[in-house]
Amino acid sequence: MKRVVLVAIFAAAACSQGAPDDGLAQAVDHGGPKVAFDLRASPMPLIPFPNDVAATPDQNSPTGLRLNSSIAAPSRLESQQRALLDTLDGFGTFAP
């Protein structure tokens, strides 16, 4: 009998007419970090790193994907790093 009463109380509470966001506070910007996601940014898209969104199909890689980054960069060092990034076939689950 007690279970039936508890179920009835929970069912009545679940069917209330209140808005689903009652009690939630508005988000306040305190100047912390922000996630940028813009695939059309140039010379490289702004996506969180590591991320396989910028990968393209490649039948010769073990995962079937190859990272595709632009090698256009303001310095030769950065251009070389981007070229090495293009050789990756994805990111490891537990990679540091």
Side-chain angles (χ1 to χ4, degrees), residues 46-85:
L46 294 173
I47 57 175
F49 190 77
N51 197 327
D52 286 339
V53 170
T56 57
D58 182 9
Q59 300 302 324
N60 298 325
S61 73
T63 61
L65 295 173
R66 180 80 50 203
L67 293 184
N68 184 19
S69 65
S70 171
I71 58 171
S75 69
R76 189 167 41 135
L77 176 66
E78 190 174 348
S79 181
Q80 291 171 348
Q81 292 297 318
R82 290 181 184 184
L84 290 173
L85 184 67

Side-chain angles (χ1 to χ4, degrees), residues 2 6 26-27 30 36 50 66 73 75 84:
K2 290 180 184 179
L6 283 175
Q26 293 292 323
H30 292 289
R66 180 80 50 203
S75 69
L84 290 173

